[in-house]
Amino acid sequence: MNPMLETTITVNGTRVTRRVEPRTHLVDFLREELGLTGSHTACEHGVCGACTVRVDGEIVRGCLTLAVQANGRAVDTIEGLSDSGEIRDLQAAFHERNALQCGFCTPGVLMTAQELLRTRPAATRDEIRDFMSGNLCRCTGYQSILDAIEAVLIARRQARPA
Amino acid sequence: MNDRIAPDQLAPAPRAEERKPAPAPVATRGYIGASIPRANAKRLLEGRGCYTDDIQLPRLAHVVFFRSPHAHARIKRLDLQPARAQPGVIAVFDGRAIAEYCTPWVAVLGHLKGIKSPPQHAVAIERVCWQGEAVAAIVAETRAQGEDALAHVEAEWEELPAVTDMEDALSGRYVIHPDLGDNICFKRELVTENFDAAFAQADLVVEETFGFGRHTGVTLEGRSILADYNAAEHSLTVYHATQAPHMMQDIFSRHLDIPEASVRVICKDVGGSYGIKVHVYPDEMATAAISVMLRRPVKFVADRLESFLTDIHAREHKAKIRLACTKDGRILGFDLDDLTAIGPYSVYPRTSGIEGNQVVNLTGGPYRHKAYRAKMHVVFTNKNVTCQYRAVGHPIAVALTEGIVDLAAAKLGIDPAEFRRRNIIPDDAYPYTFPSGIKFEKLSHEQCLDKLLEAMDYRALRAEQARLRATGVYRGIGLAAMIEVTNPSPAFYGVGGARISAQDGATVRLEPTGMVTCLASVTEQGQGTDAIFVQICATAVGVSVDKVRVMTGDTGVTPYGGGTWASRGAGIGGEAVLQAGKALKSNILDVAAAMLGVDKATLDVRDNAIVDGATGEAKLPLAEVGRVGYFRPDTLPMKFQAELSVTRHYTPREYGFTFTNGIQASLVEVDTDTGFVKLLKHWCVEDCGTVINPILVDEQIRGGIVQGLGAAMLEECVYSPEGQLLNGSLADYLVPMSGDVPDIEVAHVCTPTKQSELGAKGVGEAGTAGAPGAVMNAINDALAPLGARVTDQPFTPERILRALGRI
Ligand code: FES
Ligand code: FES
């Protein structure tokens, strides 16, 4: 019935090849096939952002993307960003401000925040609030998340040579 | 992208925080009061936590449920065989099959006099009573195969009348459970002796009816359970996203007939709970039973639709409240008539009578009136069940009280802050017994009010509000004073016969290297339990925080205890950790005194070492005590046994509850053309006694407030008259996102409870308790010049436009 499609994805810098059902979502593939359980699902239809991962450098909803769509592409997850050190400052700022409680939203929030930091280094607090409004966090009330992102944004801006 | 770096190209650089020295203790109270980041948050920040759904076991099977499409129906025919034949399907079960392994339950408690509820099965037999009730279970090799097979279940129904309206339910026109005689689950009446006189002599009596929408917790992680039965041992290990592992151990044991000591409940990381994950859910019981039946591990994780259909809902209330006062603004009494609907069953084992009971207990909370009458009915309906969700009853009691207080103040032309000042219980009036019978040890309403008005610059805000009104901008300021139940004693559940521990325990152990391990029965759900226990334990023993490891959430490992609910973790669990830590320190000093041949009284433990208590001179590293205590006890005096592991427990006894108090304020702007409300700012002053970690406390309050804002502005489980849930997805049921909420200023007054040495009271629910009332008052303050008023939550744009007569 469901033909399996051979799919090759570079996940966090490592090439993996698997035969996957076309209907398998990227986030389920990462979690169940590769054991990368840092990406979560909470709504499974693109509303909450818990499943956010990067495909070829841009964030996508892992619950709206099929694994086969990532064939031949590079996928980065929270585990990869953590190991590479790319968001170490962001993670430290979240830790410092307790910008997470249960942590279930956190990987997705960090992925989105890093996108913001990379693409809008001059964002104001209101713009940060706006950019982050696709990531649901039920625990924190968001203020500490915005504080942490804002602090990193300023720190990275200052660290950049003028 | 060129900024990606593959892990193998990386030299593992030491992380900044690993190189930093451990945070220094605060002068006299050690780490109590220090904002130390939570050590256990690091794994969550790297996506390396372990939530229940992350666990895989060999031979793991997946359970999905076929659920009722009707609110009330008889099952005429159920054919599971076509589903059984689908690829990957391992087994199919109906309610009768499950019932052979899992006995039904009845959720009543002795101290809620007259409460009644019918027996409830894990999977429905013969009849379904709400849309979403599980009717059959399908077990498959993968969740996807199970879901595919669901489409092949054949069912025929005889629809029965669905009772969905509370008043209709109360009327008893159609009785959902004929054996019970009527639709009333529980009722309570209370009247103080002086009630009639107080209302007769009043200069002013104001009255209003308020409505509260049924809403739910929306934990980001759905309910999750992995049950692993070992047939050889007749033992069951359950990995469970739960707040109360020992309660669940007892329940699995009794309903599956497995000896209690052979049931182990392990609670790994939990993706939010807020009261949602402290109840017994039929589908979770069925999952555990299926593991026994199939003799293999099985997992069930609720998806979002299942969460909306079956996670407990809460707070569907309609309440009439009256307030009597004198013309100079002295409140004489309150009169409450509350009606609440809980779905077709009282929820096990805490019952669904507690929320309404709390509304009766807490209404009028901050004020010093003497007269009170309350009437409350809890009725059955054919919607999903309701039960205790964060701040149980408080948001209703606070909104009712504060809404009617504002109305009285407005009628008398007294400023709402001034009206409150005249009526709040003075700070020197304690201990104080409230008309509903509850007792307050010591509260600080006056200090909190002062601090709040100063923090928000109340006068300036009022002046600005008046200025803006002249330009057609409608801003409103709302206040909501509150009291909150925390640190519950056995009076909450135990006295009623519930096997729910009111005490908690901690075991603290010195490791041979000088590190300290703390095993505690309170659980971590992200609120920071582990972190504060590290701080308390380090302080009590005399070590630095980096030397302490905390383990929670495993009935096979920790002392027995209640877990996380009713804002009890810090106040009860924290005290147990403190006492265990102090006892360990004393035992460490016994060993050190024996090693050094000096009087124990001359020694102390500070900064990971045995020191001379008077001079601070270092005598021995703790690791040396560990080495000798464990590996060379032969060098210690004959008959001396080192006891480097200690367990202590704590139960609050003097008061039924340790009340906290606080006050919130909201500033809003109403767009009178669209009905949209912009939340501009929110303030909260809270008195939770000793603050162990200020940043964690503030974040509990902020997160709680935002859940309260959601209830006030957005959230409602909307049912059709036929009992169909109309908004069972996160696209339709709105929760606050970052763009919806204001920044929140938090401040504290600190009145430690004298019942415990630690002095901590709870803080997890205060935000949720007060926010809806504050926002409601702010909106009504904004609408006042237009003669409009809203009383039904959530305050959607449509309701505001209706109030304004625009639609
Ligand atoms: S799970 Fe993908 S957006 Fe919610
Ligand atoms: S930290 Fe729990 S959902 Fe964001």
Side-chain angles (χ1 to χ4, degrees), chain B residues 112-453:
Chain B
L112 303 181
K113 281 198 186 54
I115 188 170
K116 57 188 195 270
S117 186
Q120 184 178 11
H121 281 92
V123 172
I125 297 173
E126 286 179 4
R127 185 173 69 122
V128 291
C129 291
W130 85 92
Q131 178 212 13
E133 185 171 3
V135 176
I138 295 178
V139 190
E141 283 170 33
T142 68
R143 166 106 193 182
Q145 287 171 324
E147 286 180 7
D148 288 345
L150 280 178
H152 298 269
V153 172
E154 290 176 13
E156 278 177 42
W157 308 92
E158 177 197 334
E159 278 191 68
L160 300 170
V163 181
T164 54
D165 177 76
M166 289 197 278
E167 267 133 25
D168 192 29
L170 185 62
S171 78
R173 190 178 57 82
Y174 181 90
V175 176
I176 298 172
H177 305 295
D179 290 353
L180 299 183
D182 56 28
N183 290 324
I184 299 168
C185 168
F186 176 53
K187 61 181 174 198
R188 183 175 166 201
E189 279 182 43
L190 174 115
V191 59
T192 57
E193 268 175 23
N194 53 359
F195 176 80
D196 290 331
F199 271 72
Q201 82 181 62
D203 297 317
L204 174 72
V205 173
V206 285
E207 173 184 321
E208 185 89 271
T209 298
F210 294 90
F212 299 84
R214 160 187 272 263
H215 53 269
T216 184
V218 193
T219 60
L220 228 58
E221 175 206 38
R223 292 186 290 104
S224 316
I225 181 169
L226 190 166
D228 184 14
Y229 177 68
N230 185 317
E233 292 179 342
H234 187 45
S235 69
L236 182 71
T237 302
V238 185
Y239 301 87
H240 197 187
T242 179
Q243 299 170 230
H246 283 103
M247 181 193 92
M248 289 311 303
Q249 177 192 35
D250 172 72
I251 282 171
F252 290 129
S253 163
R254 283 187 294 121
H255 290 278
L256 301 177
D257 195 19
I258 299 171
E260 184 178 36
S262 301
V263 177
R264 179 175 177 190
V265 178
I266 300 174
C267 172
K268 310 282 260 190
D269 291 320
V270 178
S273 47
Y274 331 116
I276 298 301
K277 294 172 181 166
V278 76
H279 310 292
V280 169
Y281 286 93
D283 46 19
E284 297 176 11
M285 293 303 289
T287 303
I290 288 168
S291 176
V292 178
M293 296 161 87
L294 295 178
R295 300 167 160 241
R296 66 189 287 175
V298 293
K299 187 196 275 183
F300 165 67
V301 179
D303 67 21
R304 190 52 52 189
L305 176 60
E306 288 178 301
S307 301
F308 277 116
L309 286 171
T310 63
D311 283 12
I312 58 117
H313 293 176
R315 324 216 215 278
E316 184 180 0
H317 284 247
K318 198 169 192 64
K320 186 172 88 179
I321 183 156
R322 299 196 305 146
L323 178 155
C325 62
T326 62
K327 58 178 173 295
D328 58 346
R330 201 159 43 85
I331 301 174
L332 300 173
F334 288 90
D335 183 15
L336 167 75
D337 187 352
D338 183 27
L339 175 60
T340 175
I342 55 155
Y345 295 99
S346 169
V347 172
Y348 192 56
R350 289 163 193 260
T351 82
S352 305
I354 298 284
E355 186 184 80
N357 207 45
Q358 294 278 59
V359 175
V360 171
N361 283 341
L362 304 174
T363 294
Y367 302 108
R368 59 173 160 172
H369 58 284
K370 292 271 181 281
Y372 184 41
R373 181 172 74 177
K375 196 161 90 177
M376 189 265 304
H377 284 92
V378 178
V379 295
F380 295 114
T381 48
N382 293 111
K383 298 184 193 173
N384 180 25
V385 294
T386 76
C387 201
Q388 283 79 291
Y389 162 51
R390 194 175 197 171
V392 192
H394 294 66
I396 293 151
V398 174
L400 290 173
T401 306
E402 297 302 288
I404 201 73
V405 158
D406 261 20
L407 193 60
K411 283 256 151 64
L412 293 170
I414 302 175
D415 175 85
E418 172 56 25
F419 188 79
R420 283 175 175 78
R421 184 184 309 286
R422 288 183 199 176
N423 285 288
I424 46 182
I425 302 168
D427 291 1
D428 60 6
Y430 300 93
Y432 188 93
T433 301
F434 192 65
S436 73
I438 53 180
K439 293 188 173 57
F440 303 134
E441 179 195 2
K442 181 120 180 72
L443 303 178
S444 57
H445 289 298
E446 292 179 327
Q447 289 175 73
C448 285
L449 176 63
D450 288 345
K451 205 162 193 171
L452 178 86
L453 297 179

Side-chain angles (χ1 to χ4, degrees), chain A residues 42 83 95 100 102 138 142-143, chain B residues 10 38 51 217 304 736 744:
Chain A
D83 286 343
H95 194 218
L100 72 161
C102 78
R138 191 62 161 166
Y142 302 105
Q143 188 168 332
Chain B
L10 266 185
R38 296 155 53 203
Y51 302 91
R304 190 52 52 189
I744 298 165

